């Protein structure tokens, strides 16, 4: 988690999400990590364009990520694991 910092961005006006970005690892520059305040099962690593998502709690990808190149899925999982590295 040391590589990740809070962005103060909001996806919606509910305040249910906290967003993190990684500035320490160049490979994760186009990703963000979204943590849901009330439901950790919705926490996800995603590309900044919103195309590809990885839900690490359940170990699942959105449909677009399932169909994407393996390197995309690997990057999302690697970023998730990096966030949880202490």
């Amino acid at each position: 988690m040391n590589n990740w910092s809070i962005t103060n961005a909001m996806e919606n006006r509910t305040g249910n999400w906290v967003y993190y970005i990684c500035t320490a690892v160049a490979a994760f520059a186009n990703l963000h990590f979204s943590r849901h305040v009330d439901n950790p099962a919705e926490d996800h690593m995603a590309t900044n364009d919103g195309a590809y998502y990885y839900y690490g709690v359940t170990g699942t990808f959105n449909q677009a990520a399932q169909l994407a190149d393996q390197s995309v899925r690997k990057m999302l999982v690697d970023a998730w694991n990096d966030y949880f590295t202490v």
Side-chain angles (χ1 to χ4, degrees):
M1 181 173 170
N2 294 334
N3 293 336
W4 297 80
S5 58
I6 295 175
T7 68
N8 295 323
M10 292 182 66
E11 178 179 39
N12 56 44
R13 301 282 178 211
T14 66
N16 292 340
W17 295 95
V18 179
Y19 294 97
Y20 296 82
I21 58 168
C22 178
T23 57
V25 181
F28 304 151
N30 293 315
L31 301 178
H32 68 273
F33 181 53
S34 300
R35 298 212 70 179
H36 195 278
V37 173
D38 301 314
N39 186 355
E42 292 187 24
D43 291 357
H44 57 272
M45 191 64 66
T47 54
N48 287 340
D49 63 4
Y52 306 115
Y53 284 70
Y54 173 65
Y55 300 91
V57 173
T58 60
T60 58
F61 297 91
N62 70 335
Q63 184 174 8
Q66 291 174 31
L67 301 174
D69 187 82
Q70 172 62 25
S71 63
V72 172
R73 291 187 299 278
K74 182 178 183 331
M75 177 180 57
L76 292 168
V77 171
D78 287 350
W80 176 276
N81 291 334
D82 184 80
Y83 177 86
F84 286 101
T85 298
V86 177

